């Protein structure tokens, strides 16, 4: 009996098969994102704790290698994290509060200069605009006071999330040696080694991203702080701390922190010093983009800048600022898992024997 001729050519059947796979993957990813957004109260501390664990992991391993008890080492590393983050936050808030009036005054002068020199018709005086804004705030003061409870609730939620993330980081650090046994326990039979390898590869990618970003952020903060100190810009240390914190959000964080530094320089030292401060910020950004990023991140996380921007956009659309913070590390972890799957499929024919 002659063989039946296929209804579709081989190329069309292969294309249809790949389309089916892509639709299945997209559906699973969409459901996963929906679950994360729905359960964000529980998911957010876990993701933040994983980032903290990846950042503090080398310190914890160094302490345990020097015969420090695992629980004590985890407590010390978490305490160091609280001290660094709290100190940086305090410095940033202090410098912004101290120079707040100067920043507002400089912005008013800049806006008035633009109105006067460009002869913008129909625009009121800046003082009138400020007075109108003040009246508007007073007019809707009751609404603002009503929203105070919402603000307090938001602050309470943030504090709760931070405390829970810190506690989870402590437990993740202390019990990290049990992760391999957990992978073999929850994985389907015969795939424990592959699940462990994927987990290790994903965590190594996140750890590499956090380590590289921290090193780059430290160099950026030191360079900008030295430049601002030379220019005698007030609050140079606080602005450097802001640069360090903002570096964990690629591109956008550096832009915002650099803009704040330039505005503070304009507020206290005038237009010429602000231009010099802008030059310092741009020089550091060029150093980061053309030297530090290729030299450091290429050894830890290999991601094209376009992929980073896409990840940031997607993260912002899903979870705002928090999504931007988590987008790139999660994307790096995903690429690590894909790389491990390709390695397993290419080197062992897709079958990975269970480790005894």
């Amino acid at each position: 009996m002659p063989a039946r001729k296929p209804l579709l050519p081989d190329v069309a059947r292969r294309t249809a098969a790949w389309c089916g796979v892509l639709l299945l993957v997209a559906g699973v990813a969409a459901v996963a994102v929906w679950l994360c957004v729905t359960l964000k109260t529980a998911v957010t501390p876990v993701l933040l704790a994983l980032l903290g664990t990846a950042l503090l992991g080398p310190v914890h391993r160094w302490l345990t290698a020097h015969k420090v008890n695992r629980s004590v080492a985890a407590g010390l590393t978490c305490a160091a994290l609280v001290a660094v983050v709290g100190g940086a936050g305090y410095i940033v808030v202090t410098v912004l509060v101290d120079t707040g009036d100067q920043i507002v005054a400089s912005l008013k002068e800049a806006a008035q200069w633009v109105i006067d020199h460009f002869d913008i018709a129909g625009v009121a005086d800046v003082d009138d605009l400020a007075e109108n804004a003040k009246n508007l705030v007073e007019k809707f003061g009751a609404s603002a006071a009503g929203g105070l409870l919402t603000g307090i609730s938001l602050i309470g939620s943030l504090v709760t999330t931070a405390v829970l993330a810190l506690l989870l980081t402590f437990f993740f650090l202390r019990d990290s040696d049990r992760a391999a046994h957990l992978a073999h326990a929850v994985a389907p039979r015969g795939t424990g080694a592959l699940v462990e390898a994927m987990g290790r590869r994903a965590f190594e990618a996140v750890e590499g991203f956090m380590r590289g970003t921290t090193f780059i952020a430290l160099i950026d903060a030191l360079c900008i702080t030295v430049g601002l100190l030379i220019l005698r810009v007030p609050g140079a240390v606080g602005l450097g701390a802001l640069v360090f914190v903002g570096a964990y959000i690629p591109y956008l964080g550096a832009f915002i922190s650099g803009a704040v530094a330039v505005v503070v320089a304009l507020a206290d030292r005038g237009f010429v010093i602000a231009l010099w401060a802008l030059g310092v910020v741009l020089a550091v950004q060029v150093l980061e983009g053309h030297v530090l990023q290729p030299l450091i991140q290429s050894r830890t996380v290999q991601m094209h800048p376009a992929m980073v921007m896409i990840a940031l956009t997607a993260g912002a659309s899903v979870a705002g600022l928090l999504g931007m913070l988590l987008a790139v590390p999660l994307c790096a972890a995903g690429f690590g898992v894909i790389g491990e799957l390709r390695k397993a499929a290419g080197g062992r024919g897709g079958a990975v024997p269970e480790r005894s």
Side-chain angles (χ1 to χ4, degrees):
M1 183 177 178
R4 294 180 60 183
K5 186 177 180 180
L7 182 62
L8 296 174
D10 184 64
V11 175
R13 288 186 286 114
R14 288 179 178 272
T15 303
W18 276 109
C19 288
V21 171
L22 291 177
L23 286 174
L24 179 61
V25 172
V28 172
V31 172
V33 171
W34 177 79
L35 286 175
C36 289
V37 173
T38 304
L39 304 175
K40 61 181 179 181
T41 305
V43 173
T44 300
V46 174
L47 294 178
L48 292 177
L50 288 175
L51 292 184
T53 304
L55 179 62
L56 300 174
V59 179
H60 183 262
R61 289 194 293 269
W62 183 84
L63 289 174
T64 54
H66 286 74
K67 309 302 182 182
V68 179
N69 180 271
R70 296 190 65 88
S71 297
V72 175
L76 290 176
T77 49
C78 289
L81 177 64
V82 171
V84 172
V85 174
Y90 174 78
I91 293 173
V92 170
V93 171
T94 300
V95 69
L96 293 180
V97 169
D98 291 342
T99 59
D101 294 337
Q102 295 175 342
I103 292 174
V104 173
S106 295
L107 290 178
K108 286 177 60 177
E109 293 176 2
Q112 190 64 53
W113 183 88
V114 171
I115 292 174
D116 294 339
H117 287 75
F118 288 91
D119 194 20
I120 302 177
V123 177
D125 185 78
V126 173
D127 292 330
D128 294 336
L129 293 176
E131 185 65 26
N132 292 335
K134 181 179 179 181
N135 294 334
L136 186 65
V137 170
E138 293 176 353
K139 181 179 179 180
F140 293 98
S143 300
L148 181 62
L149 294 178
T150 303
I152 294 175
S153 176
L154 177 61
I155 293 175
S157 176
L158 292 176
V159 171
T160 302
T161 300
V163 172
L164 183 56
L166 184 65
L167 292 176
L168 288 174
T169 301
F170 170 81
F171 290 118
F172 288 169
L173 287 170
R174 190 191 66 177
D175 301 328
S176 58
D177 57 330
R178 305 178 186 177
H181 301 289
L182 179 63
H184 287 270
V186 301
R189 184 168 184 175
T191 61
L194 178 59
V195 172
E196 178 187 348
M198 290 190 300
R200 289 184 183 277
R201 184 70 177 271
F203 189 77
E204 287 173 359
V206 176
E207 191 176 59
F209 170 80
M210 296 298 293
R211 183 172 61 249
T213 301
T214 301
F215 191 60
I216 293 173
L218 183 61
I219 295 177
D220 287 355
L222 287 175
C223 292
I224 290 181
T225 300
V226 171
L228 296 179
L229 287 174
I230 293 174
L231 296 174
R232 292 185 295 175
V233 175
V237 176
L239 295 172
L242 181 63
V243 171
F244 179 81
V245 175
Y248 285 96
I249 301 178
Y251 304 115
L252 184 61
F255 172 77
I256 294 176
S257 59
V260 172
V262 174
V263 170
V264 172
L266 176 66
D268 189 79
R269 301 281 291 150
F271 185 73
V272 176
I273 299 299
L275 286 179
W276 278 102
L278 178 61
V280 170
V281 172
L282 291 178
V284 172
Q285 296 306 316
V286 170
L287 174 66
E288 175 188 338
H290 292 81
V291 178
L292 298 179
Q293 287 280 1
L295 183 63
I296 297 174
Q297 292 287 36
S298 62
R299 299 182 180 181
T300 56
V301 180
Q302 297 181 355
M303 292 181 61
H304 194 274
M307 182 60 66
V308 173
M309 295 301 296
I310 293 173
L312 289 175
T313 304
S317 63
V318 172
L321 183 61
L322 181 63
M324 297 179 68
L325 176 64
L326 298 173
V328 179
L330 291 179
C331 192
F335 275 110
V337 171
I338 293 174
E340 191 62 33
L341 287 174
R342 291 181 60 185
K343 177 181 177 182
R348 305 182 185 181
V352 180
E354 180 72 39
R355 191 177 66 178
S356 58

